[in-house]
Amino acid sequence: MSRNVFLNYIGGEWKASATGEVLESYNPANKTEVVGSVQKSARGDLDEAVSHAKSAQKAWRKLAGAERGNYLYQAAALLEENLEEIATTMTKEMGKSLPEAKGETTRGIQILKYYAGEGMRSDGDVIPSTDASALMFSKRVPIGVVGVITPWNFPVAIPIWKMAPALIYGNTVVLKPATEGAVTAAKVMECFEKAGFPAGVVNFVSGSGSVIGQGLAENSDVNAVTFTGSNNVGKNIGKIVAARGGKYQLEMGGKNPIIIAEDADIEAAVDATLSGGLKSTGQKCTCSSRVIVQSSIYDQFKQRLIEKAQEITVGDGMDAATWMGPCASEGQYNTVKHYIAKGKEEGASLALGGNVLTEGNLKDGYYIEPTIFDDVTTDMTIAQEEIFGPVLALMKVDTVEEAIELANDVDFGLSASIFTKNIDHILSFIDDIEAGLVRINSETAGVELQAPFGGMKASSSYSREQGQAAKEFFTTMKTVFLKG
């Protein structure tokens, strides 16, 4: 296999698509550079992968959990050996800075090790029976073939945090990554291949969402689909899978608030707002996009936020001096420009940025300045819709109670944060905020791998990923009544 053209991985073999066509992935920091190519697969390629996964699952589920765990440990070791190459590919393919890419790859290694250990943990409970001569217990069992559909913004961590629990609990997997991150995902799949997983247990099929993603949703041999991506696509997948009686898990958008109370540590709050909102160029579902500040400190906070945002270095993620890279693609670049124009049109004041960057080394990339809007009201588009770019919307309130009400005034409910020292405000925030991830005196982005992750309202199907909570989606329950 060429180092620049990546094939599908189906039934333990690397195979070209039946279409004979490829999809090229470009470097968003230099749109003339092709990072690599992946297969533009057809429905037949996908169906072949699903067939192999279905056949392989019968033997895979019968292995001891510890034995399945050994394969995950080996994949983790190989990912660690190839960390530099995979992180570099990620930076070149979707633009995040190299330190961020290395951090994400390290996270993938840790997730594999965590779930490898799951093979030695309890998979059921003994339940008291009314019959004293009987033994009754529950036993978790795999659900079968799992379709994994992942986005481009975390091309290592998200595929792994879906695949690892699916595999350790005895399922087989067909991975369909977003095209903009598919070269990176293919390099991760090489680690799974070299780890020696039995043929058909892990499969990789690249291609368009309308063909491969839709195909995973429609294929009746795919018992469950786990998806991270946009709301419109996620809702469509959920409807299709539910209609045929399958299981689905959807993690979608966010419009995450960070509340700055008048007693907050302003320096810490500013740093968290910039890190949570602009790291990875704002291309995280948990990024801080609405900054809700009490009026008594609003001007002081805004001034400091602008001062520190002006210090941000924008550039190629491979440059050690770069703090924020480009938008990941031309499509995302155009989307962010659209929302900036919309903010101006609807009356928000542009306090900083808002321009594309085309000078010098930035001329061939999809670069946009860190952007801060002032005087944003909750009815504005930039206060309601996910932008997925380096844009912050400042909103002023008089009280923390008003801030929480404003924070909840969106369709989404993924992540939320508050900066305050007031225990009453903290407790009210924890109880009243409509979000699956609640953070106190910390940025909205990020969750530890051993903790449940997921949102409320339009952000999620209310299933949870990661940690012990993943077991709920990737297994089902048997109740056993045994009498001699």
Side-chain angles (χ1 to χ4, degrees):
M1 178 171 57
S2 165
R3 297 305 297 166
N4 294 318
V5 179
F6 293 85
L7 308 180
N8 292 327
Y9 186 65
I10 298 174
E13 297 180 15
W14 294 98
K15 297 182 178 182
S17 167
T19 67
E21 299 179 73
V22 297
L23 298 166
E24 292 183 326
S25 183
Y26 292 88
N27 183 349
N30 179 6
K31 55 196 174 188
T32 63
E33 178 187 348
V34 178
V35 178
S37 302
V38 296
Q39 302 302 296
K40 185 179 181 180
S41 302
R43 182 66 175 266
D45 299 310
L46 172 67
D47 292 343
E48 181 186 359
V50 172
S51 177
H52 278 285
K54 182 179 180 181
S55 297
Q57 203 264 331
K58 296 173 185 177
W60 179 249
R61 66 180 295 169
K62 291 185 178 181
L63 293 180
E67 191 172 355
R68 291 195 294 265
N70 287 336
Y71 287 101
L72 295 187
Y73 279 126
Q74 184 60 26
L78 288 161
L79 198 64
E80 194 160 18
E81 285 178 20
N82 293 278
L83 187 151
E84 289 285 341
E85 180 186 351
I86 290 170
T88 297
T89 302
M90 188 193 312
T91 293
K92 289 185 174 182
E93 186 171 36
M94 60 76 56
K96 68 175 60 177
S97 71
L98 186 58
E100 288 182 278
K102 288 181 179 179
E104 180 184 337
T105 307
T106 299
R107 169 121 178 190
I109 295 163
Q110 294 168 341
I111 292 168
L112 284 166
K113 291 178 179 179
Y114 174 86
Y115 282 110
E118 276 289 287
M120 294 292 285
R121 297 190 181 105
S122 170
D123 67 353
D125 297 292
V126 175
I127 305 166
S129 172
T130 56
D131 186 338
S133 64
L135 172 65
M136 188 163 62
F137 61 93
S138 64
K139 178 178 175 61
R140 288 195 175 273
V141 295
I143 47 182
V145 177
V146 177
V148 176
I149 304 173
T150 58
W152 46 260
N153 60 329
F154 285 92
V156 173
I158 292 181
I160 288 176
W161 86 42
K162 293 176 183 292
M163 292 171 64
L167 292 166
I168 196 62
Y169 298 132
N171 305 286
T172 53
V173 164
V174 179
L175 170 64
K176 186 272 175 219
T179 299
E180 297 90 341
V183 172
T184 306
K187 288 182 177 288
V188 172
M189 188 56 60
E190 287 181 335
C191 294
F192 278 82
E193 177 216 4
K194 292 172 184 174
F197 281 84
V201 171
V202 287
N203 302 272
F204 168 88
V205 182
S206 58
S208 70
S210 60
V211 176
I212 307 305
Q214 185 89 357
L216 280 170
E218 292 175 350
N219 192 311
S220 59
D221 286 333
V222 177
N223 304 96
V225 175
T226 174
F227 167 89
T228 298
S230 70
N231 285 70
N232 290 338
V233 175
K235 288 175 182 177
N236 180 57
I237 286 171
K239 287 177 183 177
I240 295 169
V241 177
R244 62 173 178 79
K247 195 174 185 181
Y248 65 90
Q249 177 183 64
L250 310 175
E251 290 300 336
M252 299 175 286
K255 192 64 183 172
N256 311 298
I258 180 168
I259 295 173
I260 317 299
E262 61 187 1
D263 66 336
D265 179 331
I266 289 181
E267 283 298 309
V270 165
D271 289 343
T273 300
L274 293 175
S275 178
L278 302 181
K279 275 285 187 182
S280 294
T281 321
Q283 298 170 142
K284 297 179 181 178
C285 57
T286 55
C287 80
S288 310
S289 59
R290 293 179 297 148
V291 188
I292 304 171
V293 187
Q294 270 195 275
S295 54
S296 58
I297 61 162
Y298 185 87
D299 290 338
Q300 180 185 359
F301 177 86
K302 180 179 74 171
Q303 180 181 347
R304 191 65 182 129
L305 185 71
I306 291 171
E307 288 172 354
K308 297 203 79 169
Q310 288 173 325
E311 298 172 2
I312 290 173
T313 304
V314 179
D316 188 330
M318 292 301 297
D319 186 337
T322 293
W323 191 92
M324 190 182 91
C327 295
S329 66
E330 182 178 11
Q332 197 56 38
Y333 175 72
N334 289 333
T335 294
V336 176
K337 290 195 295 181
H338 161 77
Y339 278 111
I340 291 172
K342 197 73 173 174
K344 295 177 184 176
E345 177 187 321
E346 293 183 354
S349 302
L350 195 57
L352 180 71
N355 301 306
V356 300
L357 298 172
T358 58
E359 298 297 321
N361 294 334
L362 307 183
K363 63 184 176 63
D364 291 322
Y366 299 121
Y367 295 100
I368 293 178
E369 289 179 308
T371 299
I372 299 173
F373 277 103
D374 193 9
D375 302 319
V376 178
T377 58
T378 192
D379 59 326
M380 292 179 179
T381 303
I382 60 170
Q384 290 292 322
E385 296 183 10
E386 185 176 42
I387 299 171
F388 230 59
V391 180
L392 298 173
L394 288 176
M395 309 173 79
K396 184 188 297 184
V397 294
D398 291 327
T399 67
V400 169
E401 291 75 19
E402 183 186 352
I404 294 173
E405 184 177 346
L406 190 62
N408 288 334
D409 188 29
V410 290
D411 291 336
F412 301 101
L414 183 55
S415 177
S417 174
I418 188 170
F419 271 77
T420 182
K421 301 180 182 73
N422 187 307
I423 189 65
D424 290 333
H425 290 157
I426 290 170
L427 293 175
S428 294
F429 180 74
I430 291 169
D431 284 345
D432 297 337
I433 197 70
E434 296 168 354
L437 177 60
V438 180
R439 293 167 68 84
I440 316 298
N441 295 319
S442 181
E443 64 183 70
T444 59
V447 63
E448 295 193 37
L449 63 92
Q450 70 274 22
F453 175 72
M456 297 179 178
K457 301 193 284 190
S459 290
S460 172
S461 58
Y462 286 87
S463 177
R464 290 293 179 264
E465 298 188 284
Q466 299 199 114
Q468 294 289 300
K471 189 180 293 185
E472 296 294 330
F473 181 75
F474 291 109
T475 66
T476 190
M477 189 79 77
K478 282 184 178 179
T479 299
V480 180
F481 183 85
L482 188 156
K483 188 168 182 176

